[in-house]
Amino acid sequence: MTMNKSELTTYYGDFHIHIGATSDGAPVKMSGSRNLTFEAIAREASERKGLQLIGIIDCHAPGVLADIERLLDSGEMKEHADGGIRYGQTTIILGTEIEFRENGRGAAHVLSYLPSVDAMKHFSTWMSRYVRNMNLSTQRNYAPISVIQEETAAHGGVFIPAHVFTPHKSLYGSCADRMSDVMDLSLIDGIEVGLSADSKMASRIKELDSYPFLTNSDAHSLNKIAREYNALSLARPTFKEWLMALRGIEGREIQANYGLDPRLGKYHKTTCIEGHHQANNRQNCEICGTSRFVTGVSDRIATLADRSETEADVVAAMRAPYYHQIPLEYIPGVGPKTLIKLLTQFGTEMNVLHQATEEELSAVVGEDTARRIHAARGGDLTIANGGGGRYGRVTL
């Protein structure tokens, strides 16, 4: 049944959060914080961040599946009939990040999401035939990428190429010039833009026109959850409704993307391996002399583009709006103590970012910090470019 827009609700979702370890301390994401357990992520997202939908990656791991079963058996969490696991006001979508490599190409990462625990168990069993270490995150899957796509679809899942422009292990950054060179375009449900790009930049590539864009945190620690996120129009926060939003069915949609200004991303600009910013046509770094460079996302997109920036602006304007929003932790003056004050007064980070007025903020943290938070909502702060693995920064 088609619903009126007034019958739908705005929910906030971040669909790329890694698990650092199982509840008994076994490592999962080696570069992730060990306090990133399935349970801790759910608590942080629901109680501090104020997200109603989250995608937790690495749920294929046997130890993580055991944690999920324990939480369901205890009654602390409950599966939803329309997909996902409920914890408080938050629905958890179970996902996994997979690394693939086609012959003669570089490696790239993709995200597969499954609607239920049983579906994830079956998918995990299938993966175990092609993955050497199922206990760890983002392991190489030796099945062809087309087979990975087909298996995701067969389990009722969602398939999304991850951080597609990142120079290391992404579709356009290290694998192919065109998505169509390696993947079945009909089995792609959305595109994760990544921290160093936005909708306007991605819209310079025509083959992405038919896919919704997602902005996700790719969090490796609790505080990085929701540094990028999405607003979605749904009847309720479930896997089924999320899939409808990705496909634009019955009024469900991605309402807005909230992402870093690409200049804050750590791969936005081309740098040498020592981190010195470069024009992309140099043979050697003018500062240290090295000939080894990390190509920035902005330069890679310019190389791949089959549409001008002006044309891309027109296409991007037809999508959900993309807001350059600076996370609270990036804002000068918002340290741990100030953040506690804000959360004590306003409840969650989503309330601080979207509900509190500048006057209300000022009463809690003072005029200067309140003004910066208000300016950060629209990305209206001075930024020094990131690149070469180093994040950009907000400057005063």
Side-chain angles (χ1 to χ4, degrees):
M1 180 179 68
T2 302
M3 302 181 72
N4 296 324
K5 291 284 187 180
S6 60
E7 298 178 272
L8 300 176
T9 301
T10 298
Y11 296 103
Y12 296 109
D14 175 3
F15 301 99
H16 192 157
I17 303 168
H18 280 285
I19 293 176
T22 63
S23 61
D24 61 4
V28 180
K29 185 70 173 179
M30 298 302 293
S31 58
S33 170
R34 290 297 178 266
N35 64 3
L36 270 174
T37 63
F38 189 90
E39 185 175 6
I41 292 168
R43 188 181 305 114
E44 177 77 9
S46 182
E47 298 173 9
R48 284 174 61 93
K49 301 294 181 177
L51 298 169
Q52 294 83 34
L53 273 167
I54 56 172
I56 299 185
I57 308 304
D58 310 320
C59 293
H60 69 280
V64 174
L65 285 169
D67 282 347
I68 294 170
E69 292 279 17
R70 175 181 57 80
L71 291 163
L72 291 173
D73 289 343
S74 71
E76 188 171 351
M77 297 185 184
K78 183 178 180 180
E79 283 206 84
H80 196 289
D82 286 340
I85 294 175
R86 291 291 290 169
Y87 173 83
Q89 301 303 307
T90 301
T91 299
I92 303 162
I93 306 297
L94 306 182
T96 182
E97 186 175 52
I98 297 168
E99 180 174 311
F100 76 92
R101 183 191 295 270
E102 297 291 282
N103 290 337
R105 298 181 182 276
H109 291 172
V110 295
L111 303 166
S112 290
Y113 302 89
L114 286 303
S116 67
V117 176
D118 279 346
M120 179 56 80
K121 285 181 178 178
H122 284 108
F123 192 77
S124 178
T125 298
W126 170 80
M127 277 180 63
S128 67
R129 295 159 52 192
Y130 303 97
V131 172
R132 291 175 179 168
N133 190 343
M134 287 292 289
N135 296 306
L136 296 180
S137 169
T138 323
Q139 295 298 287
R140 171 82 179 276
N141 189 316
Y142 288 86
I145 185 59
S146 59
V147 173
I148 297 171
Q149 289 184 270
E150 291 165 2
E151 202 65 29
T152 301
H155 283 81
V158 164
F159 179 89
I160 295 175
H163 44 72
V164 293
F165 300 111
T166 303
H168 307 295
K169 297 187 177 181
S170 79
L171 176 65
Y172 293 116
S174 57
C175 178
D177 289 347
R178 288 290 176 261
M179 196 158 56
S180 56
D181 293 341
V182 292
M183 293 182 182
D184 183 340
L185 298 186
S186 69
L187 294 178
I188 296 171
D189 296 294
I191 299 295
E192 185 181 74
V193 177
L195 303 181
S196 296
D198 59 16
S199 291
K200 288 185 178 181
M201 295 170 68
S203 293
R204 296 196 66 188
I205 298 176
K206 293 179 181 178
E207 72 171 350
L208 298 181
D209 288 355
S210 59
Y211 304 104
F213 290 164
L214 289 174
T215 44
N216 298 319
S217 67
D218 195 357
H220 287 47
S221 61
L222 289 174
N223 66 314
K224 291 295 190 292
I225 295 172
R227 63 178 167 182
E228 293 202 343
Y229 56 95
N230 311 271
L232 305 102
S233 294
L234 310 172
R236 60 195 65 83
T238 65
F239 182 95
K240 180 180 177 181
E241 289 280 324
W242 179 49
L243 180 57
M244 291 174 71
L246 291 173
R247 296 178 178 174
I249 296 173
E250 297 182 5
R252 280 72 165 178
E253 64 180 359
I254 296 176
Q255 193 177 78
N257 301 122
Y258 292 90
L260 299 179
D261 185 306
R263 294 174 295 170
L264 285 171
K266 61 182 181 178
Y267 297 111
H268 182 61
K269 286 293 185 182
T270 296
T271 73
C272 75
I273 59 168
E274 299 299 327
H276 305 130
H277 288 288
Q278 306 291 319
N280 65 344
N281 58 353
R282 294 187 181 276
Q283 298 299 314
N284 296 89
C285 175
E286 61 182 1
I287 297 174
C288 67
T290 183
S291 59
R292 298 170 62 192
F293 294 89
V294 178
T295 301
V297 167
S298 57
D299 292 322
R300 177 61 174 158
I301 290 176
T303 300
L304 298 174
D306 48 12
R307 180 180 281 145
S308 71
E309 290 185 1
T310 301
E311 292 170 325
D313 287 348
V314 174
V315 173
M318 294 186 286
R319 289 185 170 275
Y322 191 109
Y323 296 107
H324 289 161
Q325 182 167 273
I326 297 169
L328 292 173
E329 67 168 316
Y330 282 72
I331 301 170
V334 183
K337 292 182 180 179
T338 299
L339 184 56
I340 289 173
K341 287 182 182 179
L342 289 166
L343 294 176
T344 300
Q345 179 65 32
F346 301 109
T348 67
E349 289 190 20
M350 291 300 108
N351 288 340
V352 174
L353 291 167
H354 293 284
Q355 304 298 329
T357 66
E358 187 173 350
E359 291 74 19
E360 290 170 333
L361 293 168
S362 182
V364 177
V365 296
E367 291 183 4
D368 288 345
T369 301
R371 185 164 53 249
R372 291 181 198 130
I373 294 172
H374 188 264
R377 290 171 171 172
D380 190 19
L381 289 171
T382 304
I383 294 171
N385 285 320
R390 294 175 175 85
Y391 289 107
R393 66 186 188 279
V394 176
T395 61
L396 292 179

